[in-house]
């Protein structure tokens, strides 16, 4: 720009209303069509997506001016950066030494924590675990079989830490307990043991609400949110009735979300979950800041990782990982692109999964911006839409007595959405590149 040129002015560009945009679209549509013809609805979702969103859509949102790390935490609890933990999933067979060796290699190659799925916790070499990994510095999640003796597991873990002169209260990580039925919560007595396991360690989360498994089973974004919220409320209510302070239970909670390839829905899902939890938590008479304690872990749902043309999975995994990060996840797990092939996940596939997260952090610099979705007409509206839809389903389940008593309704809703997704994929309505369209 020349030194004597006039400064840029936008006075000639008048603000456009929704009606202005609709009139413009109408001129470009075929005769007889209206802008409503451009509305669409994702498979198994209860609400339409409009072709146009404007600032007018935000006017009714009461949280539109809230900041990150402030109630209701729709923009997350991170105030200074958008950092997340990249966790490497590994299966620990037998004494777990092979998985520990693989885990150390993964940590050296860019992973920031591990998820160890223990096939038999009784066989795990806890001394080797504590010797190989400093559990006060390295985040380690333990995924345990449903029949695990939680108290014994906790005692063995504490003994191993003591043997290395590491305080039990300093351990970092989480516990997830598998279930024979992915739609069911663990029995109340097991939840008691899980709360006791986590209480000495503020950075060790023992009550995992596994929304990712619900997504694997067929629940879409809105339904998965409703079921996660219902489980969260059920656990806090139930454990409070069994003598635990609500604040104690809330401090142990973490939630997982299984993201699909509907990119914007995946971003909005996390924001909606934080809004929903902030809306539900006052019923337990805890301080508002407790709503910001909920940790959210994201991974791709297994329904978007295919054995056919597996290279296309790399693109799906990249978009779901990017959506997880933009939505403000606390931790991220990326499935190896070849996990669904006959050979299973290979070292190359694991490396590619780690590199996706490394690229998002070090090259895309997505850890440097907190809630970059803030202010987007579409994403703010979609967040509110998902939250309202999930809240309506949640209230239906509460009217039936809560999550446990509403099990039959939960199973029916998930089955209906799974069928709708399967039919949409089989018919080609839901395009899966390399699977049902553009195949090799």
């Amino acid at each position: 720009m020349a030194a004597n040129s006039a400064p840029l002015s936008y006075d000639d560009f008048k603000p456009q209303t929704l009606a202005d945009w609709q009139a413009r679209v109408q001129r470009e549509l075929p005769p007889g069509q209206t802008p409503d013809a451009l509305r669409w609805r994702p498979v198994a979702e209860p609400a339409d997506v409009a072709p146009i969103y404007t600032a007018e859509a935000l006017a009714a949102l009461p949280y539109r001016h809230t900041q990150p790390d402030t109630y209701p935490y729709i923009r997350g609890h991170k105030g200074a950066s958008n950092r997340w933990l990249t966790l490497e999933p590994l299966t620990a067979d037998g004494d777990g030494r092979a998985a520990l060796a693989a885990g150390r290699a993964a940590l050296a190659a860019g992973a920031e924590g591990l998820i160890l799925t223990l096939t038999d916790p009784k066989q795990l070499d806890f001394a080797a675990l504590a010797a190989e990994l400093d559990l006060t510095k390295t985040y380690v999640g333990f995924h345990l079989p449903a029949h695990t003796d939680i108290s014994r597991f906790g005692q063995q873990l504490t003994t191993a830490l003591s043997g290395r002169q590491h305080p039990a209260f300093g351990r970092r990580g989480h516990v997830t307990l598998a279930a024979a039925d992915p739609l069911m919560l663990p029995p109340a007595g097991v939840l008691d043991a899980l709360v006791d396991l986590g209480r000495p360690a503020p950075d060790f989360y023992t009550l995992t609400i596994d929304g990712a498994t619900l997504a694997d089973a067929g629940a879409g974004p809105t339904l998965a949110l409703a079921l996660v919220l219902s489980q969260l409320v059920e656990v806090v209510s139930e454990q409070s009735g069994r003598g635990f302070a609500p604040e104690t239970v809330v401090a142990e909670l973490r939630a997982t979300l299984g993201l699909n390839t509907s990119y914007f829905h995946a971003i909005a899902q996390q924001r909606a979950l934080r809004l929903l939890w902030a809306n539900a938590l006052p019923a337990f008479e805890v301080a508002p800041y407790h709503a910001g304690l909920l940790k959210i872990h994201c991974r791709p749902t297994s329904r978007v990782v295919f054995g056919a043309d597996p290279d296309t999975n790399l693109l799906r995994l990249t978009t779901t990982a990017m959506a997880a990060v933009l939505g403000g996840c606390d931790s991220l797990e990326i499935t190896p692109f070849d996990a669904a092939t006959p050979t299973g996940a290979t070292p190359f596939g694991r490396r590619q999964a780690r590199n996706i997260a490394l690229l998002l952090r070090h090259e895309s610099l997505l850890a440097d911006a907190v809630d970059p979705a803030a202010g987007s007409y579409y994403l703010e509206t979609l967040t509110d839409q998902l939250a309202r839809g999930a809240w309506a389903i949640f209230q239906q389940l509460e009217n039936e007595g809560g999550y446990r008593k509403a099990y039959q309704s939960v199973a029916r809703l998930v089955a209906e959405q799974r069928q709708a997704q399967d039919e949409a994929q089989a018919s080609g309505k839901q395009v899966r590149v390399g699977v049902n369209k553009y195949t090799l």
Side-chain angles (χ1 to χ4, degrees):
M1 179 181 295
N4 60 352
S5 62
L8 287 175
S9 171
Y10 296 97
D11 293 341
D12 292 334
F13 297 91
K14 296 179 180 179
Q16 299 293 297
T17 66
L18 177 60
D20 293 332
W21 279 106
Q22 288 176 330
R24 172 62 184 270
V25 170
Q26 185 65 66
R27 293 198 298 270
E28 298 183 10
L29 287 173
Q33 279 195 7
T34 68
D36 283 343
L38 301 179
R39 301 178 73 90
W40 61 282
R41 180 174 296 189
V43 175
E45 281 299 285
D48 289 344
V49 176
I52 298 170
Y53 292 91
T54 68
E56 296 167 54
L58 305 186
L61 302 183
Y63 51 79
R64 64 188 183 279
H65 296 309
T66 60
Q67 299 298 314
D69 198 26
T70 59
Y71 188 85
Y73 299 101
I74 185 173
R75 312 196 187 288
H77 59 83
K78 307 171 189 176
S81 75
N82 190 34
R83 287 191 64 83
W84 68 90
L85 284 176
T86 301
L87 306 181
E88 179 96 1
L90 296 165
T91 299
D93 295 315
D95 63 10
R97 286 179 176 271
L100 292 174
R104 284 180 61 86
L107 291 168
E112 296 167 301
L114 305 177
I115 296 175
L116 299 179
T117 298
L118 308 185
T119 56
D120 186 356
K122 295 179 182 178
Q123 296 186 40
L124 180 66
D125 189 335
F126 282 86
L129 169 68
E132 290 285 333
L133 301 171
D134 183 345
L135 299 179
T136 64
K137 296 180 179 178
T138 302
Y139 186 105
V140 179
F142 298 94
H143 289 202
L144 308 177
H147 56 75
T148 302
D149 184 332
I150 298 299
S151 296
R152 178 181 175 181
F153 173 82
Q155 291 168 0
Q156 290 177 303
L157 187 58
T158 298
T159 300
L161 284 163
S162 299
R164 306 296 298 181
Q165 297 185 338
H166 291 155
F169 66 79
R171 61 182 178 239
R172 300 177 63 223
H174 71 263
V175 168
T176 296
L177 195 64
D181 182 343
L183 304 184
M184 294 187 70
L185 283 167
V190 174
L191 293 177
D192 291 348
L194 287 168
V195 175
D196 285 333
L197 174 62
R199 278 199 288 186
D203 293 323
F204 193 75
Y205 304 93
T206 55
L207 296 176
T208 295
I209 304 303
D210 197 357
T213 298
L214 296 171
D216 293 342
T222 300
L223 178 59
L225 283 172
L227 300 184
V228 167
L229 179 64
S230 185
Q231 288 191 24
L232 286 166
V233 169
E234 184 89 354
V235 167
V236 178
S237 178
E238 190 172 78
Q239 292 305 109
S240 299
R242 294 173 67 85
F244 293 96
E247 295 87 349
T248 299
V249 182
V250 168
E252 296 302 326
L253 290 169
R254 73 188 275 273
T256 72
L257 293 176
L259 305 184
N260 62 32
T261 51
S262 183
Y263 182 71
F264 296 109
H265 280 76
I267 296 173
Q269 227 179 327
Q270 297 169 75
R271 306 170 87 247
L273 177 56
R274 290 190 285 264
L275 182 60
L276 287 163
W277 187 225
N279 200 48
L281 205 52
F284 300 104
E285 298 182 348
V286 299
Y289 79 87
H290 283 88
L293 300 179
L294 181 67
K295 301 298 183 185
I296 299 178
H297 173 78
C298 292
R299 68 164 172 83
T301 171
S302 62
R303 300 181 69 83
V304 300
V305 181
F306 302 97
D309 202 359
D311 289 350
T312 60
N313 289 331
L314 279 169
L315 304 175
R316 298 186 187 95
L317 294 167
T318 300
T319 59
T320 55
M322 188 170 178
V325 168
L326 292 177
C329 68
D330 295 291
S331 58
L332 173 65
E333 172 189 350
I334 303 176
T335 309
F337 78 95
D338 52 3
T341 63
T343 62
T346 63
F348 178 70
R350 294 186 182 281
R351 180 173 183 267
Q352 293 293 81
R354 282 193 301 274
N355 283 348
I356 289 173
L358 292 171
L359 284 167
L360 293 178
R361 173 168 299 170
H362 296 294
E363 297 194 24
S364 299
L365 304 179
L366 295 185
D368 296 342
V370 179
D371 192 26
S376 163
Y377 304 151
Y378 176 31
L379 281 167
E380 296 286 14
T381 304
L382 184 57
T383 297
D384 185 70
Q385 181 175 296
L386 287 174
R388 290 179 183 277
W391 187 258
I393 299 171
F394 164 70
Q395 288 183 313
Q396 293 172 17
L397 300 179
E398 287 296 288
N399 289 337
E400 295 184 38
Y403 189 85
R404 291 193 194 274
K405 291 183 179 179
Y407 174 81
Q408 294 300 325
S409 294
V410 170
R412 173 181 55 79
L413 290 168
V414 172
E416 289 173 354
Q417 294 208 350
R418 179 173 62 248
Q419 181 178 358
Q421 291 183 51
D422 289 345
E423 290 176 352
Q425 186 170 304
S427 67
K429 178 182 178 182
Q430 174 68 70
V431 174
R432 299 299 185 195
V433 175
V435 179
N436 63 8
K437 196 168 186 179
Y438 309 114
T439 56
L440 293 174

